């Protein structure tokens, strides 16, 4: 990826609603050239979408936890992500190396909701869990160093 495209991506990561005019001004390109480059970045899969960043606490989900998941039977099919996809509280599912197979990032409204979610995860995927509750988040969702 060339430097101009990297600059456009960096600007859009900071503000996904930045106008083509503002992008053009910041990169020294014409508005139509920026529009064309953004479209190509989207077509190539460099830019995969645009989203609103929501304050979880403001929408009633103040508890964040990481749940490490390990299968009871290591020889069973590795279909944990498929078995858990229906659980809306799971914000992210990461396949990891180590004792656990996956680490889930979840958000819930109350401790009892976390307890209920753990039971549903164990039942749906036939796994053991280890949970770490987040006390504070100094930073999150940092953009990649493009």
């Amino acid at each position: 990826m060339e430097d101009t495209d990297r600059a456009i991506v960096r600007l859009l990561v900071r503000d996904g609603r930045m106008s083509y005019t503002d992008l053009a001004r910041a990169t020294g390109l014409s508005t139509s050239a920026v529009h064309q480059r953004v479209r190509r970045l989207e077509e190539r899969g460099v830019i995969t979408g645009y989203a609103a960043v929501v304050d979880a606490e403001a929408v009633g989900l103040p508890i964040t936890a990481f749940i490490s998941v390990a299968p009871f039977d290591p020889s069973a099919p590795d279909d944990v992500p498929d078995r858990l996809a229906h659980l809306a509280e799971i914000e992210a599912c990461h396949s990891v190396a180590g004792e656990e197979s996956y680490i889930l990032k979840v958000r819930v409204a109350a401790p009892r909701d976390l307890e209920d979610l753990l039971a549903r995860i164990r039942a749906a995927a036939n796994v053991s869990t280890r949970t770490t509750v987040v006390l504070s988040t100094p930073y999150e969702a940092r953009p990649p160093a493009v």
Side-chain angles (χ1 to χ4, degrees), residues 14-79:
R14 277 190 259 143
D15 180 3
R17 296 177 65 178
M18 193 173 204
S19 72
Y20 293 125
T21 303
D22 290 339
L23 283 168
R25 192 175 301 120
T27 58
L29 298 173
S30 70
T31 302
S32 62
V34 165
H35 186 274
Q36 190 174 43
R37 282 178 178 264
V38 170
R39 191 183 76 246
R40 279 197 310 254
L41 288 165
E42 291 169 345
E43 288 170 354
R44 289 183 11 223
V46 174
I47 297 173
T48 59
Y50 302 86
V53 178
V54 176
D55 181 328
E57 199 164 328
V59 296
L61 300 170
I63 297 175
T64 301
F66 291 98
I67 302 171
S68 299
V69 173
F72 284 124
D73 180 4
S75 66
D78 186 8
D79 59 355

Side-chain angles (χ1 to χ4, degrees), residues 10 14 27 33 35 39 47 59-61 71 87 93 96 113-114 137-139 144 146:
R10 274 194 299 273
R14 277 190 259 143
T27 58
H35 186 274
R39 191 183 76 246
I47 297 173
V59 296
L61 300 170
L87 299 173
C93 175
V96 296
D113 297 322
L114 179 57
T137 303
Y139 50 85
V146 179

Side-chain angles (χ1 to χ4, degrees), residues 59 64 70 82 90 107 133 146:
V59 296
T64 301
D82 295 333
I90 300 175
R107 294 191 191 266
V133 175
V146 179

Side-chain angles (χ1 to χ4, degrees), residues 76-85 102 124-125:
D78 186 8
D79 59 355
V80 169
D82 295 333
R83 290 174 172 254
L84 300 178
Y102 295 93

Side-chain angles (χ1 to χ4, degrees), residues 77-125:
D78 186 8
D79 59 355
V80 169
D82 295 333
R83 290 174 172 254
L84 300 178
H86 69 283
L87 299 173
E89 298 93 338
I90 300 175
E91 185 174 295
C93 175
H94 303 279
S95 176
V96 296
E99 290 183 35
E100 288 87 11
S101 300
Y102 295 93
I103 295 179
L104 312 173
K105 178 181 177 186
V106 305
R107 294 191 191 266
V108 294
R112 70 180 167 279
D113 297 322
L114 179 57
E115 187 174 22
D116 175 64
L117 177 61
L118 288 167
R120 290 185 286 137
I121 288 170
R122 291 179 191 128

